[in-house]
Amino acid sequence: MPRSTLLRWAVQSVGPRLMLQREARRGQLGAKLAIDKSLWDDPFPTYEAMRAHGPLMRGGLVSSTASHGVASEVLRSPAFRVGIGSSERLSPLARLLLERTVDPWAVGPAEPPSMLAVDPPDHTRYRRLVSKVFTARAVAAMEPRVEAIATELLDEMSRRQAAGEVVDLVEMYAAPLPVRVIAEILGVPDSMQQKMLEWGNQAAVTLDPALSYRDFRRAAVALRQIHHWLAQHLVELRRNPGDDLLSRLAVLQDEGETLNDVELRATALLVIGAGFETTVNLLGNAVMLFDQHPDQLQLLKADPSGWGNAVDEVLRYDSPVQLTVRVAGEDTEVAGHEIQSGRFVSIMLGGANRDPDVFADPQRFDVTRDNAREHLAFSAGIHFCLGASLARLEGSVALRMLYDRFPDLAVSSPPARRQLRVLRGYEHLPVRLNQPAMVP
Ligand code: HEM
């Protein structure tokens, strides 16, 4: 492991942790949520407390919001940026170190030049290239493939249960389904899918702000492995391109577009990671919610046309991505508060999705809610999730097919949540597929 990993950890995790601790001591609830793991299982009361302070809770350097109106405004405002390291509120040394310690062979999904972490004009360029593949038509055309993949996984679950094994819904369905789908779209070979899943799981922590050195180092190792594999794979695709996204990205250089190698790998890595690290949580969270609210599942069994709306209600109620951050690129005003250039706003997407100003009786899980789709689980503005229609398709097909096959599916022992702040989902979800046979 290069020595620079330690320096990068100090700059990217120790610095933010000290800043967040200072803010948390002053009562900034967004900062408290970022570092106090005991709040992660149930962040919703803290979002309520934040909203009770008003639409925007001011802090020293970081303000936070759980208001739907403010969140939408900030996400859509050209006055805000995602380039966190560009904040002039950071000391010149911190900015220099952030810039200089980037490791092009371990760039994470939320680090420049990942699309998620760059502003226009670079963002516009990357997004245009990837959008060419994620057209509504291309996504709709994936439906039969999603069904076929779901069928294979459901068959395997049946076999495992028949063999007397405990079925873990995350391991056997929620995780592999989106990995296979995104791998097909991108042209990742079957033999690499399990590896991608393992590396992706290890790298997912890099979205969180204040990592332990152990987690940071583990993620760096995984990221380095993904980058090296991608570099080699892209060389092969240039020689022998297929009809998939990675091939198209790989040959762009030849067609005169200007993605350098690091940009190319960062874009590919983001789409791969974003393609499964979130959808796994959508599926797991949904199964847990239906287990807790059987009346809602009954409604869908009676009228399967409601699955699309139900997926949006799951996304609203238990959002797979709980927060995102923006930095003011100029002096501006939000909800009557002045925000000076360089200040951060921490946007609680999962909190905004329970804002009573927008959602009536927001703590109620209601698959027939008529404005469920107004949630911000896919963010808003120019970084609005590029895979939203694919995620919605995967969610409704996978859940409908799961409950068609196993109408009595039930969670069989208390599940464990993943220890993450930004991503919210289950690590394991042990289930019983059928009702136990009646003993005569
Ligand atoms: C339930 C599933 C998903 C959720 C909840 C989700 C959520 C999000 C959110 C919140 C953002 C924006 C973050 C920000 O504004 O800072 C985002 C961006 C993105 N998502 Fe998703 N996502 C999901 C599935 C997918 C899938 C299946 C793909 C596959 C292609 C994908 C690709 C992307 C990409 C490429 C971006 C970056 C867009 C940009 O920066 O312009 N996502 N996603």
Side-chain angles (χ1 to χ4, degrees):
M1 175 67 47
R3 250 183 313 167
S4 69
T5 303
L6 190 63
L7 182 60
R8 283 196 305 120
W9 170 69
V11 175
Q12 293 177 15
S13 285
V14 179
R17 174 178 292 279
L18 293 174
M19 192 261 282
L20 289 165
Q21 280 171 340
R22 205 170 46 236
E23 298 264 340
R25 274 197 302 273
R26 291 182 183 156
Q28 201 351 294
L29 292 176
K32 189 158 187 261
L33 266 172
I35 53 176
D36 184 349
K37 292 188 176 183
S38 70
L39 299 175
W40 292 1
D41 257 16
D42 185 11
F44 300 102
T46 312
Y47 297 147
E48 290 308 304
M50 197 180 284
R51 241 193 319 268
H53 279 268
L56 188 74
M57 188 175 188
R58 300 278 315 219
L61 189 55
V62 186
S63 298
S64 48
T65 185
S67 146
H68 190 284
V70 171
S72 309
E73 188 181 332
V74 173
L75 290 169
R76 292 185 167 94
S77 162
F80 286 91
R81 303 194 177 144
V82 290
I84 303 296
S86 68
S87 164
E88 62 270 39
R89 300 271 151 183
L90 300 176
S91 71
L93 178 65
R95 281 160 69 189
L96 186 76
L97 284 172
L98 274 172
E99 203 184 293
R100 293 284 166 84
T101 54
V102 168
D103 177 350
W105 289 97
V107 168
E111 252 185 287
S114 158
M115 198 189 318
L116 259 184
V118 295
D119 296 297
D122 284 341
H123 175 262
T124 322
R125 192 159 51 101
Y126 304 155
R127 177 123 186 164
R128 196 179 48 231
L129 295 175
V130 183
S131 305
K132 285 185 186 165
V133 172
F134 280 95
T135 58
R137 242 179 70 206
V139 169
M142 279 307 287
E143 185 160 356
R145 282 305 302 148
V146 178
E147 285 172 354
I149 291 167
T151 303
E152 270 176 43
L153 295 171
L154 292 167
D155 289 347
E156 181 59 21
M157 281 161 69
S158 264
R159 274 195 291 275
R160 286 269 190 106
Q161 166 138 315
E165 293 177 35
V166 173
V167 174
D168 179 348
L169 188 106
V170 170
E171 184 200 319
M172 298 208 60
Y173 197 63
L177 185 133
V179 173
R180 285 207 204 170
V181 171
I182 200 71
E184 282 196 15
I185 294 176
L186 293 174
V188 174
D190 290 358
S191 58
M192 281 308 295
Q193 290 172 16
Q194 186 54 32
K195 271 266 162 266
M196 280 290 162
L197 190 60
E198 286 165 22
W199 291 340
N201 283 344
Q202 282 159 15
V205 290
T206 58
L207 297 176
D208 288 354
L211 304 182
S212 68
Y213 182 60
R214 195 171 146 266
D215 284 347
F216 190 91
R217 192 173 176 279
R218 227 161 65 107
V221 171
L223 284 169
R224 211 160 273 133
Q225 286 167 327
I226 306 178
H227 275 273
H228 280 100
W229 178 77
L230 274 172
Q232 195 195 352
H233 190 58
L234 288 165
V235 168
E236 280 164 28
L237 291 182
R238 273 193 198 122
R239 258 190 248 129
N240 191 11
D243 184 28
D244 51 69
L245 172 64
L246 280 186
S247 294
R248 288 203 219 168
L249 289 176
V251 297
L252 281 174
Q253 249 85 341
D254 304 338
E255 291 169 6
E257 298 261 3
T258 49
L259 274 190
N260 66 34
D261 281 357
V262 187
E263 291 173 328
L264 194 57
R265 291 199 306 270
T267 305
L269 182 138
L270 170 69
V271 179
I272 294 172
F276 66 85
E277 278 298 336
T278 45
T279 314
V280 53
N281 298 337
L282 162 64
L283 299 179
N285 294 354
V287 169
M288 193 62 200
L289 280 170
F290 288 121
D291 198 68
Q292 292 162 336
H293 302 271
D295 57 320
Q296 298 297 305
L297 188 56
Q298 282 314 321
L299 291 173
L300 294 162
K301 285 180 182 166
D303 177 12
S305 72
W307 271 112
N309 200 58
V311 165
D312 277 300
E313 177 65 352
V314 172
L315 287 164
R316 181 194 76 81
Y317 191 85
D318 203 7
S319 312
V321 179
Q322 284 285 306
L323 76 134
T324 185
V325 178
R326 295 292 186 266
V327 60
E330 58 194 71
D331 291 347
T332 182
E333 202 191 285
V334 173
H337 295 268
E338 270 182 31
I339 309 234
Q340 290 154 329
S341 183
R343 287 188 177 273
F344 299 95
V345 180
S346 189
I347 302 161
M348 309 294 139
L349 301 171
N353 288 340
R354 295 204 189 182
D355 185 342
D357 282 352
V358 176
F359 302 105
D361 198 0
Q363 313 295 348
R364 197 158 66 89
F365 176 60
D366 174 5
V367 296
T368 63
R369 184 181 292 280
D370 55 15
N371 69 342
R373 221 179 145 95
E374 285 178 41
H375 65 71
L376 294 174
F378 291 126
S379 189
I382 62 168
H383 292 276
F384 178 80
C385 176
L386 198 96
S389 46
L390 178 63
R392 283 189 166 115
L393 172 77
E394 288 179 293
S396 52
V397 168
L399 292 168
R400 178 179 45 76
M401 290 183 65
L402 176 70
Y403 288 106
D404 275 356
R405 176 78 77 96
F406 305 117
D408 299 317
L409 182 128
V411 174
S412 57
S413 54
R417 283 235 183 236
R418 300 176 80 183
Q419 272 292 294
L420 296 172
R421 168 66 189 118
V422 172
L423 298 179
R424 179 171 170 82
Y426 291 95
E427 182 98 49
H428 299 290
L429 197 49
V431 291
R432 198 188 59 229
L433 301 179
N434 307 111
Q435 266 175 346
M438 298 284 280
V439 181

